[in-house]
């Protein structure tokens, strides 16, 4: 029986999504809990993709197979009772055996939170503490150049091997908060993302916001198809996997 | 030389404000850092009041004396560089020797954050996860009954000894967030607060929001002048010391 679930987690409490020996990871915790439910037989959890250490998820998606049939709502309760409080299963449903949480993804939305105001110790694991003003209008202009199908080779890890580094960003936007003018949320909706792609894009956007680069420079960086053309990888704590659409 | 500072901290990272042997506390960290600055001579930090374990501060206030005169901006930088990232000094100024951060307080504002929506693992140390609907209108009505001068004996720790348990709540309000209808923020501005007073009030307000008590019941609880007339103490993680006014 194949099950599909949406879940959220606090990335600051884990060494990333992917299972690693003797480290606390989200996949590791999920598989440990599911093994107990599955009569002590190993269960493999297949997520829509991994997230790096410190990156959060509001709606991560995954599928897994169990030997027995279970009522999804009961399975969800059992799982939540076995998991640490930093992971929460939001929904579970039965799916066909040919459904795959990674291969069937239609689109994903990532958001990146930046605090341009004073350093705030309370949100230091949840919002990137840039703590200086940024030219957000110029950053938004640069984001618009990224919309559409592009080769994002400049924005992925240099050593990473991909069949293709072409991806499509469907929509970008900047979300401002009237209550907190110092909070900037950058949103990226795309059909697929390369490893470190959002954080490498945000790294360049921050340089644009600082005035070190112009918004049009992002086109040159794309065209260079070279990681060294971009800038620093932005910190993980500002990044959230917001939605996975099928 | 007497100095006065405002500072913020993430209460989830400490065993409360007040110094305790072999525990990580906010006062302990401040005094440890100040001792280094004060040529290894002990410095006592006098805050506007303590906060309990898990309670946060957006603008806590304190004074302390140093043997030498220092430029406040430089002192602030030294202190921030010595402190853990979960405490942040926001401002420091010189004050007269007769200024006292506790005795001179004119008013304090506390806020309490409640999530009525789905459990969110990312905010579990920062917003009380009630995760069910509450009748916020009825809660707000009850809060209004608390405005003015009252004997808040029913809302403090039973064993606590006070000369007087009479305090004045100047203003209460409920702050809603148009972006997140499930977040409720209760605000209490008062000239002084007893120990556990806000959390004990919120405990009763939640029962009112659940429909277990009516808004007018809060008057009976006040009049009873007995801790057992109130309800449970609300969790610490939702509480923030927002402002201290002099």
């Amino acid at each position: 029986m194949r099950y599909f679930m949406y879940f959220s987690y606090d990335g600051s409490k884990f060494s990333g999504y992917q299972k690693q020996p003797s480290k606390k990871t989200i996949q590791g915790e999920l598989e440990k809990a599911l093994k107990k439910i599955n009569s002590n037989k190993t269960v493999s959890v297949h997520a829509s993709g991994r997230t790096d250490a410190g990156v959060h998820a509001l709606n991560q998606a995954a599928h897994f197979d169990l030997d027995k049939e279970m009522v999804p709502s009961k399975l969800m309760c059992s799982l939540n009772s076995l998991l640490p409080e930093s992971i929460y299963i939001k929904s579970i449903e039965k799916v066909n055996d040919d459904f795959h949480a990674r291969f069937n993804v239609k689109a994903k939305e990532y958001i990146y939170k930046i605090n341009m105001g004073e350093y705030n110790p309370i949100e230091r694991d949840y919002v990137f503490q840039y703590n200086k003003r940024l030219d957000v209008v110029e950053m938004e202009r640069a984001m618009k150049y990224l919309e559409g199908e592009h080769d994002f080779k400049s924005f992925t890890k240099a050593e990473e091997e991909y069949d293709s580094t072409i991806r499509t960003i469907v929509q970008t936007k900047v979300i401002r908060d009237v209550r907190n003018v110092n909070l900037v949320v950058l949103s990226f909706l795309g059909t697929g993302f390369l490893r470190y792609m959002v954080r490498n894009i945000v790294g360049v956007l921050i340089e644009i916001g600082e005035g070190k680069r112009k918004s049009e420079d992002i086109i040159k960086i794309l065209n260079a198809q070279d990681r060294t053309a971009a800038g620093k990888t932005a910190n993980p704590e500002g990044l959230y996997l917001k939605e996975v659409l099928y």
Side-chain angles (χ1 to χ4, degrees), chain A:
Chain A
M1 283 302 307
R2 184 156 292 186
Y3 298 87
F4 169 77
M5 63 182 175
Y6 277 113
F7 56 108
S8 53
Y9 49 80
D10 176 346
S12 71
K13 303 293 193 286
F14 300 94
S15 304
Y17 175 79
Q18 199 172 44
K19 204 166 44 172
Q20 293 177 65
S22 74
K23 283 197 175 169
K24 196 183 176 192
T25 65
I26 296 124
Q27 187 185 9
E29 294 297 316
L30 289 170
E31 294 188 353
K32 196 167 72 183
L34 281 166
K35 193 179 173 183
K36 285 183 192 160
I37 291 170
N38 198 39
S39 316
N40 226 28
K41 280 157 85 181
T42 302
V43 179
S44 296
V45 173
H46 301 270
S48 72
R50 53 186 156 174
T51 54
D52 295 306
V55 175
H56 312 289
L58 298 168
N59 290 287
Q60 171 66 287
H63 81 258
F64 57 86
D65 297 329
L66 292 185
D67 290 347
K68 57 183 172 183
E69 194 164 338
M70 282 182 79
V71 177
S73 60
K74 287 196 178 175
L75 172 56
M76 187 173 118
C77 286
S78 312
L79 205 43
N80 275 327
S81 70
L82 292 167
L83 286 168
E85 289 191 335
S86 40
I87 306 177
Y88 180 67
I89 312 298
K90 303 178 81 164
S91 67
I92 299 191
E93 57 181 305
K94 287 179 196 169
V95 285
N96 286 336
D97 283 356
D98 60 353
F99 177 90
H100 196 288
R102 182 150 63 94
F103 303 137
N104 293 18
V105 171
K106 287 237 165 51
K108 281 184 183 181
E109 185 186 0
Y110 279 98
I111 58 170
Y112 195 93
K113 298 187 183 183
I114 304 171
N115 174 22
M116 302 190 298
E118 193 176 38
Y119 175 75
N120 185 343
I122 296 163
E123 56 180 36
R124 78 181 200 287
D125 288 333
Y126 306 98
V127 180
F128 172 52
Q129 298 297 310
Y130 180 70
N131 307 128
K132 289 188 286 282
R133 295 231 60 86
L134 287 165
D135 183 342
V136 181
V137 173
E138 196 67 9
M139 290 164 73
E140 192 164 14
R141 199 172 287 143
M143 285 163 75
K144 292 298 163 199
Y145 290 123
L146 299 175
E147 292 183 0
E149 190 184 86
H150 300 285
D151 189 330
F152 286 96
K153 199 176 175 195
S154 297
F155 293 102
T156 190
K157 218 176 156 182
E159 322 84 85
E160 208 81 13
E161 287 288 329
Y162 285 102
D163 287 343
S164 164
T165 46
I166 294 171
R167 294 290 184 276
T168 300
I169 292 187
V170 178
Q171 194 182 40
T172 64
K173 55 188 175 191
V174 176
I175 305 155
R176 303 297 292 263
D177 187 335
V178 282
R179 283 263 170 77
N180 180 0
V181 292
N182 291 318
L183 177 67
V184 176
V185 182
L186 312 176
S187 155
F188 303 88
L189 177 68
T191 55
F193 291 89
L194 304 166
R195 190 133 200 238
Y196 295 129
M197 182 169 142
V198 179
R199 287 165 60 193
N200 286 342
I201 288 172
V202 172
V204 168
L205 290 175
I206 287 172
E207 291 183 11
I208 290 168
E210 286 169 333
K212 289 186 189 155
R213 302 201 202 218
K214 298 222 165 296
S215 56
E216 310 85 63
D217 291 351
I218 211 157
I219 305 167
K220 290 181 212 153
I221 297 168
L222 272 175
N223 292 340
Q225 296 186 22
D226 176 5
R227 174 70 188 91
T228 63
K232 272 190 279 190
T233 306
N235 286 16
E237 66 272 16
L239 188 61
Y240 292 70
L241 174 56
K242 194 182 171 201
E243 300 286 355
V244 184
L245 305 172
Y246 291 91

